Amino acid sequence: YKVELVRSAIGAQPVRRILEYGCGIGRNIPYLQAAFPDAEIIGTDISEASLSTASSDMKEVRFEVERPGLDLGKFDLIFVAGVYHHIPPTERLGATELLAGRLQRDGSACVFEHNPYNPVTRRIVDTCPYDADAVLLRPSELRGLFRKAGMEVRSTAYCLFVPPRLSWLSPLEKHLGWLPLGGQYWVRAGIS
């Protein structure tokens, strides 16, 4: 659903190069490939083990360990899903500045995060072993990080309102982006 939201939001904007920052084992890559079939996709992460799994499953995709000085060039789309809450708050501006430096002037950076205002999301994060280090951030914090990094916030929306067992209600989601009750939210920004 995240890739569909991004594809819809950027419309006819040409996408030749995509970076998935914090790609983990690459679960989003096939969806990005389907939505943007002509784009070169690069995935980065700090976990070498995760990238090893990703590269064994997707040999046609370039994966790189995220490290200081890594030069990947510029991207039309930077996709980040569920990464920022794992970045220590004192390091978030630096990560955002890194993304800004990798974004083409007419490109889009799209960041999805857990909604700290949603009690179900908070409970899931609080009980998930993978989120033991998680510090959730409000949409206003994420927008502020983009602005401090010299980026223009283009949109903010909430998503993931409908649980899987009620998937027949999913078409309603596109009308609820304004409502701060979704399980997640996302912010799209670009270079002004």
Side-chain angles (χ1 to χ4, degrees):
Y1 78 93
K2 293 176 181 117
V3 173
E4 288 176 25
L5 287 171
V6 169
R7 175 76 263 181
S8 177
I10 64 173
Q13 173 186 331
V15 177
R16 294 171 294 283
R17 297 190 80 225
I18 300 172
L19 170 65
E20 184 178 5
Y21 178 81
C23 68
I25 61 170
R27 291 186 310 186
N28 294 314
I29 302 278
Y31 300 105
L32 289 165
Q33 289 172 320
F36 305 97
D38 298 324
E40 172 192 12
I41 299 174
I42 297 175
T44 66
D45 203 283
I46 60 170
S47 169
E48 290 184 44
S50 294
L51 293 177
S52 177
T53 298
S55 62
S56 69
D57 292 341
M58 292 168 271
K59 301 201 182 311
E60 74 284 3
V61 176
R62 177 179 166 193
F63 293 99
E64 295 283 345
V65 175
E66 194 60 65
R67 62 193 180 276
L70 177 62
D71 183 8
L72 299 171
K74 300 281 187 176
F75 294 88
D76 304 299
L77 173 62
I78 298 176
F79 183 87
V80 186
V83 173
Y84 266 72
H85 65 274
H86 292 293
I87 300 173
T90 57
E91 297 175 21
R92 289 175 180 167
L93 180 56
T96 309
E97 290 170 339
L98 174 76
L99 298 181
R102 290 180 178 170
L103 190 63
Q104 291 280 12
R105 181 156 292 281
D106 58 347
S108 291
C110 299
V111 178
F112 288 80
E113 269 304 319
H114 296 313
N115 182 3
Y117 301 124
N118 182 299
V120 175
T121 296
R122 290 194 75 87
R123 183 170 184 273
I124 290 169
V125 170
D126 289 345
T127 60
C128 177
Y130 295 114
D131 286 332
D133 67 341
V135 177
L136 297 183
L137 60 161
R138 296 180 317 279
S140 60
E141 180 184 348
L142 185 54
R143 288 190 302 265
L145 289 167
F146 278 132
R147 289 184 186 110
K148 287 177 185 171
M151 300 172 80
E152 171 189 356
V153 175
R154 296 185 176 146
S155 63
T156 302
Y158 293 88
C159 56
L160 203 61
F161 292 90
V162 178
R165 69 178 179 270
L166 299 176
S167 61
W168 56 275
L169 290 172
S170 292
L172 295 175
E173 292 234 3
K174 64 184 172 191
H175 304 290
L176 299 173
W178 58 273
L179 185 64
L181 298 176
Q184 295 187 342
Y185 68 91
W186 68 294
V187 178
R188 183 170 72 100
I191 305 295
S192 46

